[in-house]
Amino acid sequence: GSQPRPMDIALLHTGADRFQGTEAFFTDFVGLDASATHYLLDLGIKVIGTDAFSLDAPFGHILRTYAETKDRSVLWPAHFIGRDREFCQIERLARLGELPRPYGFTLSCLPVKIAGAGAGWARAAAIVED
């Protein structure tokens, strides 16, 4: 019911967080391919969050696809697109299913800056007004 606008944050509620603490959390989730990542960035999205282990497909799926195709573009496309297009990704979000609606709230993302690192953790909190 809502069209993403530039500077919106896209949150991908895949349901993968229900597997947190199990082996399935690392293997049973959906991720973005290159076209889906580019689509969101073309809409002006600058932050993409997911409840899954990774923004990309599971490691085993990526490796099988690469072994079959030898196409290097299937190797962690969402992560590698970040080398050419500026955006932030937040992985392993919890409790997205508890948000009262899919849009119309503020997401505060407070990253921890680590010198010399390309990644770190963040405290993310949804601010929902009545």
Side-chain angles (χ1 to χ4, degrees):
S2 177
Q3 180 66 29
R5 297 179 312 248
M7 304 307 289
D8 277 354
I9 296 174
L11 297 178
L12 308 177
H13 176 220
T14 70
D17 60 336
R18 72 185 181 277
F19 295 125
Q20 211 157 30
T22 72
E23 231 6 78
F25 184 67
F26 303 101
T27 59
D28 296 358
F29 61 90
V30 295
L32 296 182
D33 64 6
S35 64
T37 306
H38 281 297
Y39 175 76
L40 290 173
L41 299 179
D42 290 346
L43 290 172
I45 302 297
K46 295 294 184 187
V47 177
I48 305 170
T50 182
D51 57 359
F53 175 74
S54 174
L55 192 56
D56 288 300
F59 186 60
H61 173 78
I62 288 173
L63 289 179
R64 282 189 301 278
T65 303
Y66 176 71
E68 293 169 6
T69 65
K70 302 297 185 223
D71 178 2
R72 294 180 61 91
S73 71
V74 303
L75 299 172
W76 302 279
H79 281 79
F80 282 118
I81 287 169
R83 292 182 172 180
D84 299 319
R85 299 187 71 180
E86 185 176 13
F87 77 101
C88 294
Q89 56 182 293
I90 307 170
E91 300 166 334
R92 305 173 202 172
L93 291 168
R95 302 171 57 187
L96 292 180
E98 294 180 28
L99 291 169
R101 53 190 174 270
Y103 57 89
F105 56 88
T106 300
L107 183 69
S108 176
C109 308
L110 305 171
V112 174
K113 187 172 184 173
I114 303 172
W121 58 92
R123 172 76 66 173
I127 302 164
V128 180
E129 296 185 26
D130 292 332

